[in-house]
Amino acid sequence: MRHLLNLELHANELTGTIPGEFWYANALQNFNIGENMLSGTVSTELGLLTNLKGLHIFENMLSGNFPSEVGNIDYLSFTRLDHNAFIGIIPSELGRLSLLQELWMHANGFTGNVPTELGLLTDLTDLRLAENNFGGKIPDPIYSLTQLTRLDLQRNRFSGTFSTRIGNLAALEILKVSRNQLTGPMPVEISQLSGLRLAWLHLNRFTGSVPTEYCNNRGVGLLQFLSSDCGPDAAPSTPCACCSNCCDRETGVCLLQDDS
């Protein structure tokens, strides 16, 4: 396997563990075993694949801690680890991967705080950390990732206020921070994101009304989907004049609004 460049085994019904021989395919540039039923852990020998550009192990039953040796793969650009059973903290060594454009770690069991080192990934366009057990504040360096088009942090335990620095993410098109424990007012700076098409802000602990500036961006080709805790009609937690979706913070029920 020394000369193998591309390994595509995705979307089969493969079972068992990842064969140890794979970690010694030193020339490998694309490793795709996604959409199978593979189990066990990912070996620390992953770090031997120093020519790897694409690591796709999504939608399996892989578990354990994800190895910090991933930080040795200098050319890694696309990483999809989502829909597995990984646990523990995200390796801070990911911050070494200066070419990384896509990082999908959603739908796992990761815990702890998101490492500030992710803010070093200046080429990152797509960051998905949803459906884990992350806590603490959203780290400030995240707001330095000005190439991001998608930021998905929903269904975690993030707390604290939502930084006004969100306005720095000028390329952002999709923002999902719903179902966390964020507090304080919603930052008016979200209205500065002229390319934003979807903003899920619901089922948090925000206070006050949704800024009316958001409404200036609503419409086809602009902010098409905006959700907050603007239900029930009689006593909304965060009143909104233009939301497409209103949720009841007490019941968790969300209803599509009639724009007619």
Side-chain angles (χ1 to χ4, degrees):
M1 299 180 67
R2 288 184 305 164
H3 305 293
L4 186 65
L5 296 178
N6 187 28
L7 181 64
E8 290 276 359
L9 298 174
H10 69 287
N12 287 287
E13 297 181 358
L14 301 176
T15 59
T17 59
I18 302 173
E21 293 83 359
F22 286 0
W23 310 123
Y24 294 93
N26 305 91
L28 198 62
Q29 295 183 14
N30 183 52
F31 184 28
N32 189 348
I33 54 171
E35 296 181 274
N36 282 292
M37 296 181 285
L38 296 167
S39 57
T41 60
V42 174
S43 172
T44 58
E45 293 174 327
L46 168 68
L48 299 175
L49 301 179
T50 53
N51 289 299
L52 202 64
K53 297 179 181 179
L55 175 63
H56 305 293
I57 58 176
F58 58 97
E59 293 186 35
N60 278 287
M61 297 181 288
L62 300 169
S63 58
N65 293 291
F66 192 74
S68 60
E69 286 77 5
V70 68
N72 297 333
I73 310 176
D74 293 339
Y75 297 108
L76 197 60
S77 299
F78 303 96
T79 304
R80 295 186 180 185
L81 319 176
D82 56 283
H83 291 91
N84 278 289
F86 292 118
I87 59 172
I89 61 173
I90 293 182
S92 60
E93 289 80 1
L94 281 167
R96 300 177 190 166
L97 305 178
S98 60
L99 300 180
L100 201 61
Q101 299 176 42
E102 179 182 276
L103 180 58
W104 293 12
M105 306 186 81
H106 54 288
N108 277 288
F110 289 112
T111 56
N113 295 334
V114 173
T116 58
E117 288 82 357
L118 293 190
L120 300 173
L121 303 176
T122 54
D123 284 348
L124 202 63
T125 62
D126 192 339
L127 178 59
R128 306 188 192 191
L129 303 178
E131 297 177 64
N132 282 287
N133 293 302
F134 295 120
K137 290 188 175 182
I138 300 171
D140 271 350
I142 294 293
Y143 304 114
S144 300
L145 301 176
T146 55
Q147 302 301 313
L148 276 183
T149 60
R150 182 174 184 135
L151 177 60
D152 190 350
L153 306 176
Q154 65 175 320
R155 294 180 181 268
N156 280 289
R157 298 176 183 176
F158 290 114
S159 57
T161 58
F162 196 10
S163 174
T164 58
R165 293 186 64 198
I166 187 66
N168 294 344
L169 304 184
L172 204 62
E173 298 176 4
I174 295 176
L175 172 64
K176 295 182 178 181
V177 295
S178 57
R179 298 179 187 271
N180 279 288
Q181 299 167 17
L182 299 173
T183 57
M186 295 180 185
V188 68
E189 287 77 6
I190 288 178
S191 65
Q192 298 172 9
L193 306 176
S194 59
L196 193 65
R197 296 183 288 107
L198 182 149
W200 284 3
L201 309 173
H202 57 277
L203 299 181
N204 277 287
R205 299 176 182 174
F206 291 123
T207 55
S209 299
V210 174
T212 56
E213 289 85 350
Y214 293 9
C215 299
N216 297 332
N217 295 341
R218 286 278 285 123
V220 178
L222 297 169
L223 184 55
Q224 299 177 44
F225 305 99
L226 173 63
S227 64
S228 76
D229 297 341
C230 44
D233 290 342
S237 300
T238 54
C240 180
C242 60
C243 284
S244 59
N245 202 45
C246 280
C247 300
D248 185 330
R249 190 176 294 174
E250 298 301 320
T251 65
V253 174
C254 299
L255 297 174
L256 187 67
Q257 301 302 292
D258 185 1
D259 289 336
S260 60

